[in-house]
Amino acid sequence: MRQRTLLATTLREAPAEAETASHRLLLRAGYIRQLAAGVYTFLPLGLRALRKVERIVREEMERAGAQEMLMPALQPAELLRASGRYGLYGPDLFRLQDRQEREFALGPTHEEVVTGVVQGEIRSYRKLPAIVFQVQSKFRDERRPRSGLLRTREFVMKDAYSFDADWDGLDRSYQTMYEAYHRIFSRCGLNYRAVEADSGTIGGEGGTHEFMALADIGEDTIVACPHCDYAANMEQAETAAPDAPVSSADGAGVPEPVKFHTPGIRTIDELERQLGIVPRELIKTLLYVADGKPVAVLLRGDHTGNEVKIKRYLGAEQLELADEATVRAATGAPVGYAGPIGLQVPLLVDRAAAVMPEAVVGAGEADHHIRHARPGRDFALAMTGDFRCAAEGDCCPRCKDGVLRLLRGIEVGHVFKLGTRYSGTIGAAFLDREGKERTVIMGCYGIGISRLLAAIAEQHHDEAGLKWPAAVAPFGAHVIPVSAKDGTQLAAAESIYRRLAELGVDALLDDRDERPGVKFKDADLLGIPVRIVVGKHAERGEVEVVDRASGTLRLMSIEAACTRALAYCK
Ligand code: 9G3
């Protein structure tokens, strides 16, 4: 394409609200433009890159045996009601009415729709397994859209769904898709981890994995062991069972609990700064409300409560920290002084707290704490479990050798074993080889295509601009005549542009009447991986080949330069 016609103006700087690199650079380089909060236009450059990502996804989905289809964005509300999700997602769901005031939603995902469609097409075990996928816009009214394409209210998703006759079949489909995801993210040049995850609100009975692009601005925290391949989303990450209590079994050496005056000392930090009590010597008592009922969670002072684990243990739908009034009502003490001794609410004790020989705890009375509280002696250990977040430095719960590290990630893919969560409610059955009716076993597999493009940009840029991996770059090469006036350079650039087209390299020719500095600054912003600069050497039939990622520059013949550019596209 000729850059003179390209619909893309580069900006000297991005708007103030653009904090992340991909947001700033995709705007400055003319890839996207914001229409509304979390709603973006893909200009030609952005769409070309998006299409490159889609092509990789399609190729790997088809290689995995999935068939592409396309479902509507408009979904009748009664379909979402049938699966119980019309209310579940509340304000996140875009709702609208048609001219007869019939209720619809703009599809945030398509489990219900695809189950109904496939039910109509598959009646016999002979048609199973089946995997279908689509690449389509999804709509979710995010409370806080942000970071450009990383969190939008309309986005492009590849969503795939597998249908099997039994659980073994689902395991095979899941494994096939899991491996396809590895190929997709590798081909996109992404630095990513597949992590064990929590199935959250989607339901389903099986495992689930998330694919996380490593990035400091990532919203998710990953726990990873450098020694074995254990990696999990922080929400789900197990913690190693602590060593058994070291002190004598009956704690004979532990004195009776002693209350002491701690006026105005309400936080762990103040206990440490004013009384020298370190967090590891404490057991903190967190009050939660689970489905309306107060529960106390006891954790060692330096640990953090994991609400996904607590919720799962209690089988609770709703879980939130108790407010001040609830803490007072349940514990008789203000926040900061709640303690386990004599507390009349269920106690969930994290394993690491349960094995402490003794601890400082809140006294359940304003301005007082208690020393020498002993788990099991002074308060019950009826409900002990893993209720804490894994922490940097924990030993790996799998190999027990590695020391866990925390990484930040952007979720770009998520694969789920759904089981009969939708086929059971929407109804998708088949006749097995004995003619018996059975419910299909499903899996679902998502990739945020537009988010993936932004994640790649987050990992591939420098202060001058984007640095696309060749596989997703909007053009295969950038041909730049240095002088817009020099006939030799222009002619050489034109012939290179034509030669590249013959070789099948889709190039961008900077034919603009601009100063060299402007052309090079823009080329740095656009981030096309290889640049052929046609300068004064053109008289001798030589051009510069510049590698955008490394900055290396090499002088070579025009033919060699074209061959070199072709090599990038392989
Ligand atoms: C909704 C709304 C938001 C949602 C969902 C439904 C997330 C919802 C989870 C998934 C699960 C899988 C198929 C591809 C892979 C991911 N946010 N999820 O179901 F109504 Cl408003 O989308 N879907």
Side-chain angles (χ1 to χ4, degrees):
M1 181 186 280
R2 295 173 184 281
Q3 203 160 337
R4 192 189 290 266
T5 62
L6 181 65
L7 187 74
T9 40
T10 53
L11 311 173
R12 280 292 146 259
E13 67 261 346
E17 77 269 11
E19 288 116 22
T20 59
S22 63
H23 189 188
R24 272 200 320 278
L25 292 171
L26 289 171
L27 284 172
R28 284 192 52 210
Y31 280 70
I32 59 172
R33 289 288 179 261
Q34 178 172 311
L35 180 63
V39 182
Y40 283 86
T41 296
F42 283 86
L43 291 174
L45 279 171
L47 185 62
R48 280 169 162 266
L50 189 76
R51 289 282 186 262
K52 293 288 243 338
V53 174
E54 285 179 12
R55 185 187 321 150
I56 290 170
V57 171
R58 275 198 173 86
E59 282 171 3
E60 294 303 336
M61 284 295 107
E62 280 157 8
R63 189 204 305 234
Q67 300 175 56
E68 184 165 7
M69 60 191 283
L70 179 60
M71 289 176 269
L74 278 174
Q75 300 184 3
E78 52 270 21
L79 196 55
L80 291 170
R81 287 202 179 94
S83 69
R85 288 214 288 183
Y86 195 65
L88 178 66
Y89 283 93
D92 281 15
L93 193 62
F94 275 105
R95 296 171 167 83
L96 67 161
Q97 292 189 344
D98 70 8
R99 60 189 345 160
Q100 270 91 14
E101 294 183 6
R102 282 183 295 228
E103 290 180 296
F104 282 81
L106 288 182
T109 180
H110 281 68
E111 280 80 8
E112 291 84 354
V113 177
V114 77
T115 304
V117 167
V118 167
Q119 172 53 36
E121 309 308 314
I122 291 181
R123 287 286 184 204
S124 155
Y125 71 95
R126 277 187 289 272
K127 300 282 276 186
L128 295 175
I131 305 183
V132 295
F133 79 95
Q134 65 174 352
V135 177
Q136 195 237 32
S137 291
K138 296 286 190 281
F139 300 85
R140 297 177 183 181
D141 197 358
E142 297 281 347
R143 191 171 38 79
R144 209 164 69 82
R146 57 188 174 283
S147 307
L149 297 182
L150 289 176
R151 184 169 289 277
T152 52
R153 297 194 286 168
E154 175 177 353
F155 57 96
V156 179
M157 181 198 273
K158 182 286 298 172
D159 43 326
Y161 304 86
S162 64
F163 301 83
D164 280 278
D166 53 35
W167 282 91
D168 288 347
L170 169 58
D171 289 346
R172 285 190 294 276
S173 295
Y174 187 90
Q175 186 59 28
T176 301
M177 298 304 276
Y178 182 85
E179 286 158 12
Y181 274 44
H182 274 289
R183 285 196 295 273
I184 288 167
F185 297 120
S186 304
R187 287 181 61 185
C188 286
L190 200 70
N191 179 15
Y192 72 94
R193 290 282 189 292
V195 305
E196 293 176 18
D198 177 66
S199 51
T201 49
I202 182 79
E205 289 98 80
T208 170
H209 285 84
E210 284 167 342
F211 287 78
M212 295 286 191
L214 299 189
D216 291 342
I217 54 102
E219 289 181 5
D220 288 283
T221 302
I222 302 161
V223 174
C225 171
H227 189 81
C228 68
D229 62 358
Y230 177 65
N233 187 314
M234 170 66 90
E235 292 176 345
Q236 155 92 3
E238 300 159 31
T239 60
D243 300 333
V246 289
S247 66
S248 56
D250 62 0
V254 177
E256 284 307 300
V258 172
K259 187 160 54 172
F260 61 103
H261 197 208
T262 51
I265 298 180
R266 307 165 62 109
T267 67
I268 288 181
D269 188 42
E270 286 162 349
L271 273 168
E272 179 167 15
R273 273 188 296 109
Q274 298 187 37
L275 299 175
I277 297 168
V278 296
R280 286 180 71 106
E281 293 170 339
L282 280 168
I283 289 180
K284 58 189 175 186
T285 303
L286 301 180
L287 256 295
Y288 284 94
V289 178
D291 292 346
K293 293 191 293 299
V295 295
V297 178
L298 272 57
L299 297 153
R300 203 173 75 188
D302 56 325
H303 288 156
T304 307
N306 182 311
E307 297 190 359
V308 169
K309 292 181 182 177
I310 295 164
K311 207 168 163 183
R312 194 186 307 129
Y313 179 88
L314 292 169
E317 285 287 311
Q318 299 289 336
L319 182 85
E320 61 269 337
L321 273 172
D323 58 20
E324 170 89 31
T326 309
V327 173
R328 275 187 185 284
T331 69
V335 173
Y337 294 101
I341 298 177
L343 188 56
Q344 301 307 318
V345 300
L347 292 186
L348 272 62
V349 186
D350 180 70
R351 294 181 300 195
V355 298
M356 290 168 71
E358 61 171 288
V360 172
V361 298
E365 181 187 328
D367 296 335
H368 287 80
H369 280 78
I370 288 176
R371 286 188 203 287
H372 312 311
R374 179 169 172 72
R377 181 188 72 184
D378 305 325
F379 56 88
L381 293 180
M383 291 186 281
T384 300
D386 176 6
F387 301 123
R388 72 180 176 92
C389 286
E392 187 89 33
D394 277 1
C395 99
C396 173
R398 289 287 157 77
C399 70
K400 309 276 190 254
D401 296 338
V403 173
L404 293 182
R405 296 194 44 235
L406 299 191
L407 303 167
R408 307 290 296 176
I410 301 167
E411 177 190 338
V412 289
H414 202 155
V415 291
F416 293 80
K417 291 181 180 175
L418 290 175
T420 57
R421 166 71 182 79
Y422 294 92
S423 46
T425 50
I426 301 298
F430 69 100
L431 294 180
D432 68 12
R433 63 184 70 237
E434 285 75 45
K436 184 170 176 304
E437 180 161 285
R438 291 180 181 282
T439 304
V440 294
I441 307 293
M442 288 177 64
C444 68
Y445 316 88
I447 291 179
I449 301 269
S450 41
R451 175 183 283 184
L452 173 53
L453 183 67
I456 295 166
E458 284 293 332
Q459 293 185 351
H460 295 276
H461 71 270
D462 58 21
E463 67 294 334
L466 296 159
K467 300 197 298 186
W468 294 114
V472 301
F475 289 97
H478 203 164
V479 181
I480 304 178
V482 173
S483 154
K485 305 263 185 297
D486 178 311
T488 312
Q489 292 181 21
L490 291 174
E494 284 288 339
S495 72
I496 288 168
Y497 179 60
R498 277 195 304 279
R499 177 68 181 130
L500 288 172
E502 284 164 14
L503 292 170
V505 179
D506 188 7
L508 178 65
L509 171 63
D510 193 344
D511 59 348
R512 296 174 300 165
D513 186 1
E514 292 283 357
R515 294 190 324 279
V518 169
K519 292 190 173 188
F520 293 131
K521 251 185 177 336
D522 284 351
D524 285 343
L525 257 182
L526 266 55
I528 291 160
V530 62
R531 186 180 309 171
I532 299 178
V533 178
V534 184
K536 56 184 182 311
H537 304 292
E539 283 153 14
R540 296 199 309 277
E542 290 191 320
V543 291
E544 290 169 358
V545 176
V546 180
D547 176 81
R548 174 67 182 91
S550 64
T552 53
L553 181 156
R554 286 170 46 194
L555 204 54
M556 60 182 81
S557 73
I558 285 179
E559 187 53 25
C562 293
T563 312
R564 182 98 190 78
L566 178 61
Y568 274 79
C569 304
K570 287 291 156 269

